[in-house]
Amino acid sequence: MLTGPDFCFEQEAERAGRWPCAGVDEAGRGPLAGPVVAAAVILDPANIPAGLNDSKRLTAAMRDRLFDLVTASALAISVASASAEAIDRTDIRQATLDAMRRAVSGLAACPAFALIDGRDVPGGLPCPARALIKGDSRSQSIAAASIVAKVLRDRMMERAAIAHPVYAFHAHAGYGTALHRSAIGTHGGVRRLHRFTFAPLRNRN
């Protein structure tokens, strides 16, 4: 039976005198279009919303509900993004780590520790940190950050769909679905929105 994330890593940090502890995650590493969005969240231990989990395991309605609960109850939230152009200038890994660093640095309450989803700890953080593989299904703080990042990025792509309706960004959020790839084949990519270092856009004008 699958179980959701818990608060054990955060409690471990608190026992070590490293509080507050932020959870950090991103949304949008894999798409062909749009930004990568990173979020950092410091949860209130006395008011943790029920149902937090990896955003990929939740329906859109569940994510929206939990987004509202997290933004209403968290002690601090910060979000940063890296544009498609920034991703093309470096690479998706570096752009993601930089967005994570800026999200942590932007928290109104300076964290004493950060839990980072994935294998890498960004350089230049204002506090010590630990990387957690599959952290969004292990840590409630990271799960909260994954929900915030995912919901905000999806909303950005819904706005992009209004500006560029032929790509139907509202339906796939920029991921490489058959619908999106077909639109790219017909119309090419949109500068400042598509990632031209990603196949099938590489070397296309």
Side-chain angles (χ1 to χ4, degrees), residues 8-27:
C8 290
F9 294 102
E10 293 87 342
Q11 291 170 331
E12 181 182 335
E14 184 176 19
R15 287 193 296 271
R18 293 174 167 176
W19 189 262
C21 176
V24 186
D25 202 359
E26 53 73 29

Side-chain angles (χ1 to χ4, degrees), residues 32 84-85 87-92 191 194-204:
L32 304 178
E85 288 182 309
I87 293 166
D88 285 342
R89 281 196 302 270
T90 55
D91 58 54
I92 186 60
R191 287 291 171 189
H194 280 98
R195 303 174 184 179
F196 285 87
T197 53
F198 283 36
L201 288 145
R202 193 176 297 120
N203 301 323
R204 291 192 63 155

Side-chain angles (χ1 to χ4, degrees), residues 110-170:
C110 185
F113 197 67
L115 297 168
I116 313 291
D117 183 59
R119 297 178 180 275
D120 299 317
V121 172
L125 293 178
C127 63
R130 175 182 178 181
L132 284 180
I133 296 172
K134 297 185 179 179
D136 44 11
S137 61
R138 300 168 67 191
S139 157
Q140 288 178 324
S141 296
I142 296 177
S146 79
I147 291 166
V148 170
K150 172 65 174 170
V151 169
L152 290 178
R153 187 182 185 282
D154 282 354
R155 291 178 182 178
M156 291 177 185
M157 298 311 293
E158 288 167 5
R159 293 179 68 87
I162 296 171
H164 304 282
V166 297
Y167 295 95
F169 289 123
H170 63 284

